[in-house]
mmCIF file of all heavy atoms in Angstrom:
data_model
loop_
_atom_site.group_PDB
_atom_site.id
_atom_site.type_symbol
_atom_site.label_atom_id
_atom_site.label_comp_id
_atom_site.label_asym_id
_atom_site.label_seq_id
_atom_site.Cartn_x
_atom_site.Cartn_y
_atom_site.Cartn_z
ATOM 1 N N TRP A 1 36.336 50.212 23.304
ATOM 2 C CA TRP A 1 36.019 49.048 24.141
ATOM 3 C C TRP A 1 37.065 48.996 25.255
ATOM 4 O O TRP A 1 38.248 49.272 25.021
ATOM 5 C CB TRP A 1 36.103 47.760 23.329
ATOM 6 C CG TRP A 1 35.199 47.716 22.128
ATOM 7 C CD1 TRP A 1 33.982 47.107 22.025
ATOM 8 C CD2 TRP A 1 35.449 48.285 20.829
ATOM 9 N NE1 TRP A 1 33.460 47.257 20.773
ATOM 10 C CE2 TRP A 1 34.326 47.988 20.013
ATOM 11 C CE3 TRP A 1 36.492 49.031 20.288
ATOM 12 C CZ2 TRP A 1 34.239 48.399 18.688
ATOM 13 C CZ3 TRP A 1 36.399 49.446 18.966
ATOM 14 C CH2 TRP A 1 35.283 49.122 18.180
ATOM 15 N N TRP A 2 36.658 48.627 26.466
ATOM 16 C CA TRP A 2 37.551 48.621 27.618
ATOM 17 C C TRP A 2 37.387 47.327 28.395
ATOM 18 O O TRP A 2 36.345 46.658 28.346
ATOM 19 C CB TRP A 2 37.252 49.836 28.518
ATOM 20 C CG TRP A 2 37.505 51.108 27.790
ATOM 21 C CD1 TRP A 2 38.670 51.811 27.740
ATOM 22 C CD2 TRP A 2 36.594 51.805 26.928
ATOM 23 N NE1 TRP A 2 38.536 52.904 26.920
ATOM 24 C CE2 TRP A 2 37.270 52.926 26.396
ATOM 25 C CE3 TRP A 2 35.256 51.592 26.564
ATOM 26 C CZ2 TRP A 2 36.673 53.826 25.529
ATOM 27 C CZ3 TRP A 2 34.660 52.484 25.687
ATOM 28 C CH2 TRP A 2 35.370 53.591 25.180
ATOM 29 N N ARG A 3 38.440 46.988 29.149
ATOM 30 C CA ARG A 3 38.423 45.716 29.874
ATOM 31 C C ARG A 3 37.357 45.663 30.950
ATOM 32 O O ARG A 3 36.905 44.582 31.334
ATOM 33 C CB ARG A 3 39.808 45.456 30.479
ATOM 34 C CG ARG A 3 40.877 45.202 29.439
ATOM 35 C CD ARG A 3 42.183 44.732 30.052
ATOM 36 N NE ARG A 3 43.194 44.529 29.018
ATOM 37 C CZ ARG A 3 44.100 45.419 28.659
ATOM 38 N NH1 ARG A 3 44.126 46.602 29.262
ATOM 39 N NH2 ARG A 3 44.978 45.156 27.715
ATOM 40 N N ASP A 4 36.951 46.814 31.473
ATOM 41 C CA ASP A 4 35.930 46.797 32.515
ATOM 42 C C ASP A 4 34.519 46.982 31.966
ATOM 43 O O ASP A 4 33.571 47.157 32.724
ATOM 44 C CB ASP A 4 36.223 47.842 33.591
ATOM 45 C CG ASP A 4 36.241 49.272 33.055
ATOM 46 O OD1 ASP A 4 36.152 49.430 31.815
ATOM 47 O OD2 ASP A 4 36.337 50.200 33.863
ATOM 48 N N THR A 5 34.379 46.945 30.615
ATOM 49 C CA THR A 5 33.048 47.005 30.018
ATOM 50 C C THR A 5 32.337 45.694 30.285
ATOM 51 O O THR A 5 32.849 44.633 29.942
ATOM 52 C CB THR A 5 33.137 47.264 28.504
ATOM 53 O OG1 THR A 5 33.924 48.434 28.279
ATOM 54 C CG2 THR A 5 31.762 47.463 27.913
ATOM 55 N N ARG A 6 31.158 45.743 30.874
ATOM 56 C CA ARG A 6 30.454 44.518 31.234
ATOM 57 C C ARG A 6 29.483 44.054 30.163
ATOM 58 O O ARG A 6 29.163 42.875 30.079
ATOM 59 C CB ARG A 6 29.701 44.715 32.557
ATOM 60 C CG ARG A 6 30.629 45.003 33.725
ATOM 61 C CD ARG A 6 29.891 44.989 35.054
ATOM 62 N NE ARG A 6 30.784 45.351 36.146
ATOM 63 C CZ ARG A 6 30.432 45.366 37.428
ATOM 64 N NH1 ARG A 6 29.194 45.072 37.775
ATOM 65 N NH2 ARG A 6 31.298 45.699 38.361
ATOM 66 N N PHE A 7 28.973 44.991 29.363
ATOM 67 C CA PHE A 7 27.962 44.640 28.370
ATOM 68 C C PHE A 7 28.433 45.085 26.989
ATOM 69 O O PHE A 7 27.764 45.856 26.306
ATOM 70 C CB PHE A 7 26.619 45.279 28.745
ATOM 71 C CG PHE A 7 26.123 44.867 30.102
ATOM 72 C CD1 PHE A 7 26.327 45.686 31.201
ATOM 73 C CD2 PHE A 7 25.496 43.653 30.289
ATOM 74 C CE1 PHE A 7 25.897 45.312 32.462
ATOM 75 C CE2 PHE A 7 25.059 43.253 31.547
ATOM 76 C CZ PHE A 7 25.257 44.091 32.633
ATOM 77 N N ALA A 8 29.591 44.585 26.595
ATOM 78 C CA ALA A 8 30.194 44.998 25.327
ATOM 79 C C ALA A 8 29.612 44.201 24.166
ATOM 80 O O ALA A 8 29.187 43.055 24.310
ATOM 81 C CB ALA A 8 31.700 44.802 25.389
ATOM 82 N N THR A 9 29.614 44.819 22.991
ATOM 83 C CA THR A 9 29.290 44.165 21.728
ATOM 84 C C THR A 9 30.332 44.612 20.710
ATOM 85 O O THR A 9 31.265 45.349 21.042
ATOM 86 C CB THR A 9 27.884 44.559 21.240
ATOM 87 O OG1 THR A 9 27.889 45.937 20.858
ATOM 88 C CG2 THR A 9 26.828 44.332 22.329
ATOM 89 N N ALA A 10 30.163 44.202 19.463
ATOM 90 C CA ALA A 10 31.097 44.647 18.424
ATOM 91 C C ALA A 10 30.968 46.134 18.135
ATOM 92 O O ALA A 10 31.877 46.742 17.568
ATOM 93 C CB ALA A 10 30.872 43.845 17.150
ATOM 94 N N THR A 11 29.848 46.739 18.524
ATOM 95 C CA THR A 11 29.636 48.170 18.317
ATOM 96 C C THR A 11 30.293 48.959 19.452
ATOM 97 O O THR A 11 30.108 48.624 20.619
ATOM 98 C CB THR A 11 28.128 48.479 18.278
ATOM 99 O OG1 THR A 11 27.535 47.755 17.200
ATOM 100 C CG2 THR A 11 27.878 49.965 18.077
ATOM 101 N N PRO A 12 31.058 50.006 19.154
ATOM 102 C CA PRO A 12 31.743 50.743 20.222
ATOM 103 C C PRO A 12 30.771 51.527 21.098
ATOM 104 O O PRO A 12 29.649 51.842 20.701
ATOM 105 C CB PRO A 12 32.669 51.702 19.461
ATOM 106 C CG PRO A 12 31.984 51.904 18.139
ATOM 107 C CD PRO A 12 31.342 50.584 17.816
ATOM 108 N N LYS A 13 31.230 51.834 22.311
ATOM 109 C CA LYS A 13 30.534 52.746 23.213
ATOM 110 C C LYS A 13 31.395 53.992 23.406
ATOM 111 O O LYS A 13 32.564 54.014 23.009
ATOM 112 C CB LYS A 13 30.267 52.075 24.566
ATOM 113 C CG LYS A 13 29.370 50.858 24.485
ATOM 114 C CD LYS A 13 28.991 50.332 25.870
ATOM 115 C CE LYS A 13 28.074 49.127 25.758
ATOM 116 N NZ LYS A 13 27.546 48.693 27.070
ATOM 117 N N PHE A 14 30.808 55.003 24.049
ATOM 118 C CA PHE A 14 31.525 56.255 24.283
ATOM 119 C C PHE A 14 31.626 56.496 25.779
ATOM 120 O O PHE A 14 30.642 56.315 26.514
ATOM 121 C CB PHE A 14 30.778 57.432 23.636
ATOM 122 C CG PHE A 14 31.482 58.758 23.781
ATOM 123 C CD1 PHE A 14 32.391 59.187 22.840
ATOM 124 C CD2 PHE A 14 31.231 59.572 24.880
ATOM 125 C CE1 PHE A 14 33.041 60.415 22.984
ATOM 126 C CE2 PHE A 14 31.876 60.791 25.034
ATOM 127 C CZ PHE A 14 32.784 61.209 24.085
ATOM 128 N N ILE A 15 32.824 56.880 26.243
ATOM 129 C CA ILE A 15 33.013 57.301 27.627
ATOM 130 C C ILE A 15 33.676 58.672 27.646
ATOM 131 O O ILE A 15 34.325 59.080 26.689
ATOM 132 C CB ILE A 15 33.841 56.293 28.444
ATOM 133 C CG1 ILE A 15 35.257 56.174 27.884
ATOM 134 C CG2 ILE A 15 33.157 54.937 28.507
ATOM 135 C CD1 ILE A 15 36.194 55.366 28.762
ATOM 136 N N MET A 16 33.503 59.390 28.790
ATOM 137 C CA MET A 16 34.030 60.752 28.893
ATOM 138 C C MET A 16 35.514 60.783 29.260
ATOM 139 O O MET A 16 36.259 61.622 28.766
ATOM 140 C CB MET A 16 33.203 61.552 29.891
ATOM 141 C CG MET A 16 31.793 61.830 29.382
ATOM 142 S SD MET A 16 30.708 62.681 30.560
ATOM 143 C CE MET A 16 31.485 64.308 30.654
ATOM 144 N N GLY A 17 35.960 59.931 30.159
ATOM 145 C CA GLY A 17 37.393 59.777 30.388
ATOM 146 C C GLY A 17 38.106 60.948 31.021
ATOM 147 O O GLY A 17 39.179 61.344 30.555
ATOM 148 N N GLY A 18 37.541 61.546 32.086
ATOM 149 C CA GLY A 18 38.276 62.555 32.836
ATOM 150 C C GLY A 18 39.246 61.900 33.803
ATOM 151 O O GLY A 18 38.879 60.972 34.530
ATOM 152 N N VAL A 19 40.497 62.349 33.811
ATOM 153 C CA VAL A 19 41.545 61.730 34.641
ATOM 154 C C VAL A 19 42.023 62.739 35.674
ATOM 155 O O VAL A 19 42.570 63.795 35.323
ATOM 156 C CB VAL A 19 42.720 61.246 33.765
ATOM 157 C CG1 VAL A 19 43.834 60.688 34.649
ATOM 158 C CG2 VAL A 19 42.249 60.194 32.770
ATOM 159 N N ASP A 20 41.804 62.406 36.937
ATOM 160 C CA ASP A 20 42.336 63.205 38.039
ATOM 161 C C ASP A 20 43.840 62.983 38.131
ATOM 162 O O ASP A 20 44.402 62.118 37.447
ATOM 163 C CB ASP A 20 41.617 62.792 39.334
ATOM 164 C CG ASP A 20 42.053 63.610 40.536
ATOM 165 O OD1 ASP A 20 42.468 64.764 40.340
ATOM 166 O OD2 ASP A 20 41.978 63.096 41.664
ATOM 167 N N LEU A 21 44.489 63.739 38.995
ATOM 168 C CA LEU A 21 45.948 63.755 39.054
ATOM 169 C C LEU A 21 46.534 62.347 39.094
ATOM 170 O O LEU A 21 46.286 61.569 40.013
ATOM 171 C CB LEU A 21 46.406 64.556 40.281
ATOM 172 C CG LEU A 21 47.910 64.813 40.356
ATOM 173 C CD1 LEU A 21 48.357 65.759 39.247
ATOM 174 C CD2 LEU A 21 48.286 65.374 41.713
ATOM 175 N N ASN A 22 47.305 62.015 38.045
ATOM 176 C CA ASN A 22 48.065 60.770 37.971
ATOM 177 C C ASN A 22 47.199 59.525 38.168
ATOM 178 O O ASN A 22 47.623 58.554 38.777
ATOM 179 C CB ASN A 22 49.210 60.783 38.987
ATOM 180 C CG ASN A 22 50.147 61.941 38.761
ATOM 181 O OD1 ASN A 22 50.338 62.390 37.630
ATOM 182 N ND2 ASN A 22 50.703 62.485 39.837
ATOM 183 N N PHE A 23 45.967 59.587 37.651
ATOM 184 C CA PHE A 23 45.046 58.452 37.642
ATOM 185 C C PHE A 23 44.601 58.027 39.041
ATOM 186 O O PHE A 23 44.191 56.884 39.239
ATOM 187 C CB PHE A 23 45.661 57.248 36.906
ATOM 188 C CG PHE A 23 45.853 57.487 35.434
ATOM 189 C CD1 PHE A 23 47.051 57.989 34.946
ATOM 190 C CD2 PHE A 23 44.836 57.222 34.537
ATOM 191 C CE1 PHE A 23 47.230 58.212 33.586
ATOM 192 C CE2 PHE A 23 45.002 57.445 33.175
ATOM 193 C CZ PHE A 23 46.206 57.945 32.699
ATOM 194 N N ARG A 24 44.636 58.951 40.002
ATOM 195 C CA ARG A 24 44.093 58.615 41.316
ATOM 196 C C ARG A 24 42.607 58.297 41.202
ATOM 197 O O ARG A 24 42.088 57.428 41.894
ATOM 198 C CB ARG A 24 44.281 59.779 42.288
ATOM 199 C CG ARG A 24 45.718 60.097 42.636
ATOM 200 C CD ARG A 24 45.743 61.192 43.692
ATOM 201 N NE ARG A 24 47.101 61.539 44.083
ATOM 202 C CZ ARG A 24 47.399 62.202 45.196
ATOM 203 N NH1 ARG A 24 46.417 62.592 46.004
ATOM 204 N NH2 ARG A 24 48.638 62.487 45.492
ATOM 205 N N ARG A 25 41.939 59.060 40.357
ATOM 206 C CA ARG A 25 40.517 58.865 40.107
ATOM 207 C C ARG A 25 40.293 59.087 38.612
ATOM 208 O O ARG A 25 41.066 59.787 37.971
ATOM 209 C CB ARG A 25 39.652 59.882 40.885
ATOM 210 C CG ARG A 25 39.947 59.982 42.356
ATOM 211 C CD ARG A 25 39.228 61.190 42.974
ATOM 212 N NE ARG A 25 39.565 61.370 44.384
ATOM 213 C CZ ARG A 25 40.595 62.080 44.832
ATOM 214 N NH1 ARG A 25 41.396 62.692 43.954
ATOM 215 N NH2 ARG A 25 40.839 62.200 46.126
ATOM 216 N N TRP A 26 39.230 58.479 38.102
ATOM 217 C CA TRP A 26 38.772 58.869 36.777
ATOM 218 C C TRP A 26 37.264 58.804 36.730
ATOM 219 O O TRP A 26 36.619 58.099 37.502
ATOM 220 C CB TRP A 26 39.404 58.044 35.659
ATOM 221 C CG TRP A 26 39.202 56.566 35.711
ATOM 222 C CD1 TRP A 26 38.061 55.859 35.453
ATOM 223 C CD2 TRP A 26 40.217 55.593 36.002
ATOM 224 N NE1 TRP A 26 38.277 54.518 35.553
ATOM 225 C CE2 TRP A 26 39.595 54.319 35.894
ATOM 226 C CE3 TRP A 26 41.576 55.656 36.331
ATOM 227 C CZ2 TRP A 26 40.301 53.132 36.102
ATOM 228 C CZ3 TRP A 26 42.252 54.467 36.543
ATOM 229 C CH2 TRP A 26 41.622 53.228 36.437
ATOM 230 N N ALA A 27 36.702 59.608 35.825
ATOM 231 C CA ALA A 27 35.253 59.728 35.691
ATOM 232 C C ALA A 27 34.885 59.499 34.233
ATOM 233 O O ALA A 27 35.377 60.204 33.351
ATOM 234 C CB ALA A 27 34.783 61.110 36.139
ATOM 235 N N ASN A 28 34.037 58.491 33.993
ATOM 236 C CA ASN A 28 33.677 58.114 32.628
ATOM 237 C C ASN A 28 32.288 58.582 32.211
ATOM 238 O O ASN A 28 31.912 58.450 31.052
ATOM 239 C CB ASN A 28 33.774 56.600 32.454
ATOM 240 C CG ASN A 28 35.207 56.120 32.481
ATOM 241 O OD1 ASN A 28 36.127 56.879 32.192
ATOM 242 N ND2 ASN A 28 35.419 54.867 32.836
ATOM 243 N N GLY A 29 31.516 59.106 33.157
ATOM 244 C CA GLY A 29 30.166 59.570 32.875
ATOM 245 C C GLY A 29 29.405 59.663 34.182
ATOM 246 O O GLY A 29 29.942 59.337 35.255
ATOM 247 N N PRO A 30 28.146 60.104 34.155
ATOM 248 C CA PRO A 30 27.368 60.159 35.402
ATOM 249 C C PRO A 30 27.291 58.781 36.067
ATOM 250 O O PRO A 30 26.846 57.810 35.457
ATOM 251 C CB PRO A 30 25.985 60.621 34.909
ATOM 252 C CG PRO A 30 26.260 61.355 33.637
ATOM 253 C CD PRO A 30 27.401 60.629 32.995
ATOM 254 N N GLY A 31 27.756 58.709 37.305
ATOM 255 C CA GLY A 31 27.723 57.449 38.035
ATOM 256 C C GLY A 31 28.758 56.437 37.615
ATOM 257 O O GLY A 31 28.695 55.281 38.037
#
């Protein structure tokens, strides 16, 4: 669960979590 999750429930979700150099960008999934 993450602070920017907008439609959270008690059930967890899955994100991909690719981190570009020093968190300049990150990619959690398509779009």
Side-chain angles (χ1 to χ4, degrees):
W1 302 261
W2 298 270
R3 293 189 181 95
D4 61 353
T5 306
R6 297 189 184 183
F7 302 98
T9 69
T11 300
K13 298 187 179 187
F14 182 90
I15 63 171
M16 291 176 68
V19 176
D20 183 27
L21 188 68
N22 301 329
F23 293 92
R24 294 185 179 198
R25 309 169 184 88
W26 58 73
N28 290 336

